[in-house]
Amino acid sequence: MKRTAALRAVALGAAVAMIATACSSGSGSDDPTEGAGENVTLTWWHNSNTGAGKDYYDQLADEFESDNPGVTIEVSALQHEDMLTKLDAAFQTGDQPDIFMERGGGELKAHVAAGLVKDITDDAADTISALGGSVSGWTVEDRVYSLPFSMGVVGFWYNKSMFAQAGITEAPKTMDDLYAAVEALKGAGIEPISVGAGSAWPAAHYWYYFALRQCSQDTIATASQELEFTDPCWVKAGESLADLVAQEPFNTGFLGTEAQGTPESASGLLANRKVAMELAGHWEPGVMQGLTEDEQGLGEDTGWFPFPEVAGGEGDPAAQLGGGDAWACSNDAPDICVDFIEFMLSNDVQKGFAELDMGLPTLPSATAFVAAPELAQLLSYRNDAPYVQLYFDTQFGENIGGAMNEAIVSVFAGSGTPQGIVDATQAAADLEK
Amino acid sequence: MAPALLLFAIFVVVPVVQAARFSVFRWNGLGPMENFVGLQNYVMALSDQIFQRSVTNNLTIAILSIAIQLPIGLLVALLLNRKFPGQTAMRVIVFVPYVLAEVVAGVIWKLLLQPQGGVNAFLETIGLDSFAKAWVGDPSVALWTVMGVLTWKYLGLAIVLLLAGLQGVPEELHEAASIDGASWWQSQRKITIPLLGPTIRTWAFLSMIGSLQLFDMVWILTRGGPDNATTTMATYLIRQGTERSQYGYASAVAIILFVISFILAGLFQAFVLNRDAGDDKPKQRRKKVSR
């Protein structure tokens, strides 16, 4: 029943699009595929709303317009949170822009089910094959709906001079190494790790990584498909987490600490040299720069190492947890929209994107242009990873992800159990079946 | 009358009816509502431990607000009602927290209550290091911290209302009492406080409804955390409902919140406030009570 209504909505959307194109072209043609050469307006929302990034995107829009006469791109450069709020509202009314950002996973799945996103599998086939494995997070039932343009992985950001001060000479490779580092840091009077458990997701990343190390790729893929968390590896992930929490490595009051945004947040504590490390994504250097007075973040002291190996797990120790942003077209957007997002993933555009430090390019040929050494290091782990698992809360969608995160935080608080995480997740998943 | 009714219908009745309609569907906000689930959302909410905790927290806050603010408010109001130099200034000062926007006050307190914030720094300077805590980060103290900030914020309102009520207590009664040899304290206890009854009951009603719908201060200080220690029905609604795109479920919680508030307001009206309604006919009232 749901399917029919969705199809009806799609048909209606397509009809509206046809009428809109026909009206705007004024030529009487009702074939939307004749995008090029006709007068078409594309609306584009993005979140590079300041500085060089904004200028770069404006310049790209101009470039595309001059290469495709008749195409006008209306750009809205929005602050990130504002963009998300506006997008949510737009999706609910079915009035989303032609070109927008998709984070993949369950969110995309919901948008696809509601018939809001264009299937670009065939139209963008070349770009999709150039991107390789990174499109997997934006694939629903073997159809691709977006082109990821930036993708990072989560790892430990640390303060090199604090590590030196505590006598730690090598970045931890296994959990035991990490525990030894925690002890050494405590011995030197340094709080080892900050975690924004108040925002839930930064704490949840630990469990995601333990699950990645404990569960095989197949188990995770099957769970994503069938929404069943029966494999014992999911409980083991929680047990690994409980072991970590028992080491008491976290900052004072971490249950109330926010992820980022203030000097007292988890990122702020690392940036202001109050703790030695934090588990965070590729955005961390940029976030830290905004939280220090000299806008340097940790500067020269910035270090990065991947999440350690966990003994006895079935998962690949090189698998990485990450996520990113992708360009998508609205289902009712003119077909030229797909040309535009392919243009956004062209080698030249991705190269410029990398050079301006706007993110971590997904096109393999453009990855060499990332300048910052820690980011280049992170990128090499991303590229060498057998697979990059999308953050579970994105993968499973807001509801299952939210239930999962909440239960993970309760293990951090000491009130929850490893089994409790699986139970809460399964209960939320059962509602989605 | 008609335009007023129309406005009431558009802005009050329609949203409530809409929420009631949403509450019987599973709906993520996208596309049409098709997945009718009957009362499942209500069953889920009422059997959810975190929701039960929210209701308990709301009731705890409602009771503690009255139990803490009433005696302190009354005492301060009685003191401020006596003539002394700087009386007006004092009245302004006690009212300042209430006038301050909730968000501003919340953000200031949040900064002060950080582990390395002002409150702990102050405790250290006066040698009470052992009392320093993660005020909003420790599940065992977070609710008390919120309670403390709420008291700071809303005590001013209680005091101002009680001061206004005190204006209605005739001075002659005190004079008569003091001629009869009553002490200041006796005349406050036997004359002032009974005559303040209607004001106290109205304030308590406002305080109770405010406590049940509490959202902003908790959201800013703790977002209902840590580990749901300070969750209220309203923060639960936002966190478990709208932040997870469970609009049907969120609507069911909203309806439950509405019903709980409605019932408690009704009970308060029936058993407490009705004493004031009959004030001009004291005899009838007595009859009612004796029945």
Side-chain angles (χ1 to χ4, degrees):
Chain A
M1 223 170 93
K2 200 162 185 175
R3 186 62 39 107
T4 4
L7 282 178
R8 221 177 290 144
V10 171
L12 183 70
V16 170
M18 282 180 194
I19 295 165
T21 339
C23 291
S24 62
S25 67
S27 64
S29 157
D30 58 357
D31 182 2
T33 55
E34 283 178 25
E38 306 281 322
N39 286 323
V40 182
T41 302
L42 292 173
T43 47
W44 177 26
W45 290 7
H46 68 73
N47 64 355
S48 292
N49 63 329
T50 52
K54 181 176 187 295
D55 296 342
Y56 184 56
Y57 278 177
D58 284 343
Q59 176 204 323
L60 291 177
D62 290 344
E63 214 171 287
F64 189 79
E65 281 174 352
S66 58
D67 289 350
N68 297 273
V71 176
T72 312
I73 299 181
E74 274 178 24
V75 188
S76 299
L78 302 157
Q79 191 268 334
H80 181 69
E81 305 291 331
D82 289 349
M83 184 186 77
L84 295 182
T85 314
K86 279 190 80 172
L87 267 179
D88 272 348
F91 283 128
Q92 283 174 17
T93 53
D95 193 21
Q96 68 276 18
D98 295 315
I99 307 147
F100 54 87
M101 281 160 76
E102 271 287 0
R103 286 177 296 190
E107 216 172 86
L108 173 69
K109 215 166 153 185
H111 293 161
V112 170
L116 299 168
V117 201
K118 201 189 268 295
D119 178 348
I120 56 171
T121 322
D122 304 321
D123 292 344
D126 292 344
T127 311
I128 291 169
S129 74
L131 286 171
S134 30
V135 294
S136 65
W138 286 265
T139 306
V140 180
E141 288 171 5
D142 294 330
R143 305 301 292 176
V144 181
Y145 292 86
S146 328
L147 300 176
F149 60 89
S150 176
M151 223 175 143
V153 296
V154 172
F156 278 99
W157 293 93
Y158 73 100
N159 183 325
K160 285 180 182 168
S161 67
M162 278 184 170
F163 267 44
Q165 198 185 323
I168 306 163
T169 46
E170 257 182 79
K173 283 210 172 59
T174 65
M175 284 314 287
D176 287 336
D177 293 348
L178 184 72
Y179 295 155
V182 163
E183 279 313 305
L185 287 161
K186 279 188 183 171
I190 298 167
E191 282 199 331
I193 310 178
S194 65
V195 59
S199 304
W201 59 263
H205 284 175
Y206 281 93
W207 186 81
Y208 299 171
Y209 251 125
F210 285 125
L212 218 55
R213 297 283 181 263
Q214 295 286 5
C215 301
S216 69
Q217 188 180 2
D218 274 354
T219 309
I220 295 176
T222 314
S224 308
Q225 282 291 319
E226 294 167 7
L227 299 183
E228 285 291 345
F229 299 86
T230 43
D231 197 288
C233 70
W234 298 104
V235 178
K236 278 191 188 161
E239 287 164 357
S240 304
L241 175 65
D243 287 346
L244 170 71
V245 174
Q247 304 284 325
E248 301 187 349
F250 302 116
N251 59 299
T252 316
F254 62 90
L255 289 172
T257 305
E258 304 279 336
Q260 40 189 253
T262 65
E264 290 80 19
S265 65
S267 299
L269 290 172
L270 181 63
N272 292 292
R273 297 164 194 274
K274 307 275 191 208
V275 299
M277 55 183 144
E278 190 202 353
L279 185 67
H282 59 283
W283 56 78
E284 192 64 4
V287 168
M288 287 199 291
Q289 282 159 16
L291 291 171
T292 48
E293 269 180 46
D294 58 5
E295 301 197 339
Q296 294 298 310
L298 281 179
E300 295 282 295
D301 284 333
T302 314
W304 188 88
F305 63 90
F307 196 87
E309 292 171 15
V310 178
E314 292 164 29
D316 194 312
Q320 303 291 326
L321 176 77
D325 291 310
W327 294 122
C329 284
S330 168
N331 203 9
D332 57 12
D335 285 349
I336 188 95
C337 176
V338 183
D339 294 351
F340 181 74
I341 61 174
E342 286 199 83
F343 165 69
M344 291 299 289
L345 265 302
S346 62
N347 192 48
D348 287 347
V349 173
Q350 279 264 292
K351 182 180 166 221
F353 179 80
E355 284 170 346
L356 287 171
D357 271 337
M358 293 171 74
L360 296 177
T362 45
L363 203 65
S365 56
T367 53
F369 300 101
V370 172
E374 313 81 42
L375 284 177
Q377 183 198 357
L378 182 153
L379 205 53
S380 74
Y381 278 95
R382 184 197 77 184
N383 294 343
D384 295 344
Y387 72 104
V388 174
Q389 170 63 44
L390 200 60
Y391 315 117
F392 284 141
D393 48 1
T394 308
Q395 169 92 46
F396 291 109
E398 288 159 321
N399 184 31
I400 303 176
M404 191 184 257
N405 290 1
E406 187 115 0
I408 293 169
V409 171
S410 69
V411 170
F412 274 78
S415 65
T417 60
Q419 184 65 44
I421 299 173
V422 177
D423 293 346
T425 306
Q426 189 65 61
D430 288 342
L431 291 171
E432 306 275 314
K433 285 181 187 167
Chain B
M1 194 61 188
L5 276 179
L6 186 70
L7 281 178
F8 181 74
I10 293 175
F11 292 107
V12 180
V13 179
V14 172
V16 173
V17 172
Q18 278 284 41
R21 197 166 71 89
F22 291 167
S23 73
V24 288
F25 287 89
R26 255 202 80 71
W27 184 48
N28 65 1
L30 299 173
M33 283 192 299
E34 285 173 330
N35 191 357
F36 179 81
V37 293
L39 296 179
Q40 192 200 9
N41 287 330
Y42 290 92
V43 175
M44 266 168 55
L46 292 171
S47 57
D48 183 39
Q49 284 186 352
I50 304 172
F51 182 70
Q52 292 166 1
R53 194 162 176 186
S54 306
V55 177
T56 316
N57 282 348
N58 273 117
L59 295 177
T60 312
I61 291 167
I63 293 167
L64 284 181
S65 292
I66 294 177
I68 297 171
Q69 290 174 30
L70 183 59
I72 302 178
L74 205 53
L75 200 68
V76 177
L78 289 174
L79 290 174
L80 285 180
N81 202 36
R82 304 177 90 180
K83 292 219 164 14
F84 63 91
Q87 186 195 29
T88 323
M90 279 303 291
R91 286 185 182 188
V92 171
I93 290 168
V94 297
F95 200 51
V96 164
Y98 183 72
V99 179
L100 210 57
E102 188 119 352
V103 178
V104 176
V107 170
I108 294 171
W109 273 109
K110 176 154 191 167
L111 289 176
L112 289 173
L113 291 165
Q114 292 299 317
Q116 293 161 352
V119 172
N120 281 349
F122 173 74
L123 287 172
E124 269 168 43
T125 13
I126 59 170
L128 292 173
D129 311 37
S130 52
F131 286 93
K133 285 188 174 61
W135 297 100
V136 285
D138 181 345
S140 61
V141 294
L143 188 63
W144 298 104
T145 307
V146 169
M147 207 53 240
V149 175
L150 286 173
T151 306
W152 170 86
K153 181 85 175 71
Y154 288 100
L155 188 59
L157 177 70
I159 294 170
V160 165
L161 284 178
L162 293 170
L163 274 173
L166 284 171
Q167 306 305 311
V169 179
E171 192 56 33
E172 301 88 69
L173 292 180
H174 290 295
E175 278 169 27
S178 69
I179 289 167
D180 287 345
S183 68
W184 180 82
W185 181 239
Q186 276 175 320
S187 82
Q188 302 304 332
R189 211 160 57 95
K190 302 276 183 191
I191 300 169
T192 315
I193 295 178
L195 286 175
L196 269 181
T199 313
I200 292 175
R201 287 189 283 273
T202 309
W203 165 80
F205 181 71
L206 293 175
S207 170
M208 182 190 78
I209 295 298
S211 303
L212 288 177
Q213 302 183 339
L214 182 60
F215 175 75
D216 356 19
M217 189 57 90
V218 175
W219 193 249
I220 295 160
L221 287 176
T222 64
R223 295 200 140 222
D227 194 25
N228 294 309
T230 60
T231 176
T232 68
M233 286 187 277
T235 63
Y236 178 87
L237 190 163
I238 297 294
R239 271 183 82 140
Q240 315 280 325
T242 56
E243 280 195 352
R244 289 198 202 165
S245 292
Q246 302 202 84
Y247 291 95
Y249 185 68
S251 300
V253 174
I255 294 287
I256 296 173
L257 170 57
F258 173 76
V259 170
I260 291 179
S261 304
F262 194 78
I263 291 175
L264 286 180
L267 288 175
F268 201 89
Q269 191 82 35
F271 292 102
V272 183
L273 286 180
N274 81 332
R275 301 176 75 183
D276 302 330
D279 261 1
D280 48 341
K281 301 171 208 158
K283 272 177 194 163
Q284 262 183 347
R285 192 186 75 205
R286 225 169 280 141
K287 229 190 259 169
K288 241 189 241 165
V289 172
S290 62
R291 231 187 276 164

